Amino acid sequence: MSTPYPNLLAPLDLGFVTLANRVLMGSMHTLLEDMPDGFGRMAAFFAERARGQAGLMVTGGFSPNRDGRLAEEASVFDRESQVSGHRLVTGAVHDAGGRILLQILHGGRYARHAGMVAPSPIRSRIMKFTPREMTGEDIERTIDDYARCAELARTAGYDGVEIMGSEGYLITQFLTPRTNQRGDDWGGALTNRLRFPLEIVRRTRQRVGEEFILMFRLSVLDLVEEGNVWEETVTIARALEQAGVTLFNTGIGWHEATIPTIAHMVPRGAWTWTAQRLKASVSIPVIATNRINDPAQAERILAAGDADMVSLARPFLADPAFVRKAAENRADEINTCIACNQACLDVIFRDQLCSCMVNPRACRETEMPIVATSRVKRIAVVGGGPAGLACAATAAQRGHAVTLFEVADRLGGQFNLARVIPGKADYGETIRYFGRQLALHGVSVHLNRRAEANQLDRFDEVVIACGVTPRVPAIEGIDHPSVVSYADLLSDKVRVGPRVAIIGAGGIGLDVAEYLAHEHPGTPEQELEDPDIGGFLDAWGVDRQVAAPGGLVGKGNMAAARTITLCQRGEGLPGRGVGITTVWVHRLALAKRGIEILSGVDYRLIDDAGLHLNVGDEARTLTVDNVVLCAGQEPARELHHALRSKGQSVHLIGGAKLADGLNAVRAIAEGTELALTL
């Protein structure tokens, strides 16, 4: 049988060790490393992904000293007494046939504690504290701490380390004029700014020997003012290669950059051109990263010679068996990362345990094992949206006899609306994944079928997951012909004119504004098969030559295809309830497109003249062709009441349980968790 992805699955010879394939599971902050039982949970987490055949994995970041820890209680690896805990992780990974690196990360001015240090005392706009400027003694000690941490990692059984020199952390802060304004031998000219990472690599290599992977995550595109230009990046890379780096992982953007780099609105593979450019300038392997989530896409990157490996981080939250499924020609069974950030990055920035929207078991492997049922039940799931799909698939995987009823002609529920939003085509991958799981595990699926209470008597358990209906606000004239619901708009049942008002500025309102801003939104299939990377980079003002500092040229070029006014009853910024790692992108895009935002609105009337409202004490009439309702949702519970009255064992999940604040994270988690208990 031929290899389905010959480049992706080809071994990579590093001289002293050969990796089984070209897939790196990149580092992620999960908070497992900071938990009291963290090493045991990390062992389970990484072992499952090693069994899934990731070629190489990287832990979350461990600081080499207390100055560099990301938060007051964040992880530090600086003592022999910590080695035994790390051996739980490396032992589990090696027993599962995998290889793993420890990431060494010093936060610098990105640390969230009063003892933070940096090259210069310049506060980041996204942080609370101003760092203390490092003395020469601090710098020398910190360099030794990096080398010592790597030596401890080797003792603990790690196959190597990744030195984090990207995303705006300490090493990056030394390398760029933006944050290094020192007047001594560690600042000024590039030769001086380069000394810090160069000494770290040299001393680390001396401590760990030659047969130990030393991966350096290099910022190849800073995306901030006063960042480096490409010639400087190449100079840095070549010096680090000579100092002993085994391979380069590419890093894109600082955390304070105002350009999205990994969220769903970023096209797949938008940054692989940076890896290709670096690969042409060095002789050691280079890894492409960011928005790579599909084996066929990864294969094309490698086949084109753009990189020697690909890094997938969040895709291994979504599916630990990503590589194994690809190798077994089962790519249609991969649970694809949709880059939503809602259960991973959004929660990490609130100091909560990481997980995954489409795979709630991620980082909870020890808490949510999938155990075969001891008693097969007949289970009816009513509703084929995210909650119902997750429940049906998990219950069937456990061995139950599951029947799913869906009133529409296809599975997916609200995800069918989400996937047509420009930048959200990946949401369709979740529908594909769950549909495949239903088929694999023998779920009987009935489309175009409304389940009635008198038809469900034969089931031992009934799960109501029939979702939500759009809320219709009490506004005079709400039945005017110009008024349309977001569901009808995104289902292509109605068309709107060139002037539109949107009632509601939550997540759905932002999505509808994005949809309407495009004259002719492409299909989800077109977005995935032929992503407009050039258009994205131009829109956000990215210089593909990186001749300008940080790779920035102007503010980009965005425009709206319509005159759009986004209205909300509440005060403040739009997007309440949207994740913190993506809402700023939406707001910035609204501003760039010239979309008007009205807050503190009191709606009075909709008629032929348009939408009449008050904004504070000011009466206004928006002369519009259409008004789109994005004013929330109502649960659909009629069937639940009927079944309860008959004494049926019935469960509510997702929007049918609670529509307020509904999101797919809760819906899929509720479906999965319920199925594990039935």
Side-chain angles (χ1 to χ4, degrees), residues 41 45 48-49 316-320 335 343-344 353-370 386-387 389-391 393-394 397 430 433-434 663-676:
R41 296 182 66 165
F45 174 81
E48 184 167 343
R49 282 135 185 96
F316 279 101
L317 292 175
D319 198 327
N335 194 0
C344 52
L353 182 65
C354 176
S355 189
C356 177
M357 175 198 282
V358 299
N359 175 26
R361 293 186 62 251
C363 297
R364 292 172 171 81
E365 288 79 10
T366 60
E367 299 173 357
M368 299 176 66
I370 297 179
L389 290 173
C391 185
T394 306
Q397 187 176 353
T430 303
Y433 165 74
F434 278 122
N663 60 58
V665 175
R666 176 167 65 82
I668 294 175
E670 286 180 358
T672 303
E673 291 164 0
L674 175 62
L676 293 175

Side-chain angles (χ1 to χ4, degrees), residues 232-251:
E232 293 174 310
T233 299
V234 170
T235 298
I236 293 166
R238 288 173 174 167
L240 293 171
E241 178 182 355
Q242 291 299 313
V245 169
T246 311
L247 68 168
F248 283 115
N249 192 7
T250 53

Side-chain angles (χ1 to χ4, degrees), residues 17 94 102 187 211 222 272 300 302 347 420 441 476 533 623:
V17 66
H94 293 153
L102 177 95
E211 296 188 355
D222 293 330
T272 58
R300 290 193 294 270
L302 296 170
V347 302
V420 305
H441 296 290
E476 185 179 352
I533 293 172
T623 305

Side-chain angles (χ1 to χ4, degrees), residues 212-257:
F212 190 73
I213 298 172
L214 205 168
M215 182 163 72
F216 193 97
R217 183 154 180 170
L218 178 66
S219 182
V220 292
L221 188 63
D222 293 330
L223 297 179
V224 292
E225 292 81 4
E226 298 180 85
N228 289 329
V229 298
W230 187 255
E231 289 183 1
E232 293 174 310
T233 299
V234 170
T235 298
I236 293 166
R238 288 173 174 167
L240 293 171
E241 178 182 355
Q242 291 299 313
V245 169
T246 311
L247 68 168
F248 283 115
N249 192 7
T250 53
I252 308 295
W254 290 28
H255 287 315
E256 61 202 84

Side-chain angles (χ1 to χ4, degrees), residues 16 101-102 104 143-163 200-215 243-246:
F16 56 90
L101 310 182
L102 177 95
I104 307 177
I143 293 170
D144 284 338
D145 289 340
Y146 270 91
R148 168 67 170 158
C149 184
E151 187 176 34
L152 289 170
R154 186 187 61 178
T155 303
Y158 287 100
D159 299 283
V161 295
E162 177 181 61
I163 295 175
I200 288 173
V201 171
R202 285 171 177 163
R203 294 186 203 180
T204 298
R205 181 56 79 194
Q206 290 171 0
R207 294 283 282 268
V208 299
E210 294 301 318
E211 296 188 355
F212 190 73
I213 298 172
L214 205 168
M215 182 163 72
V245 169
T246 311

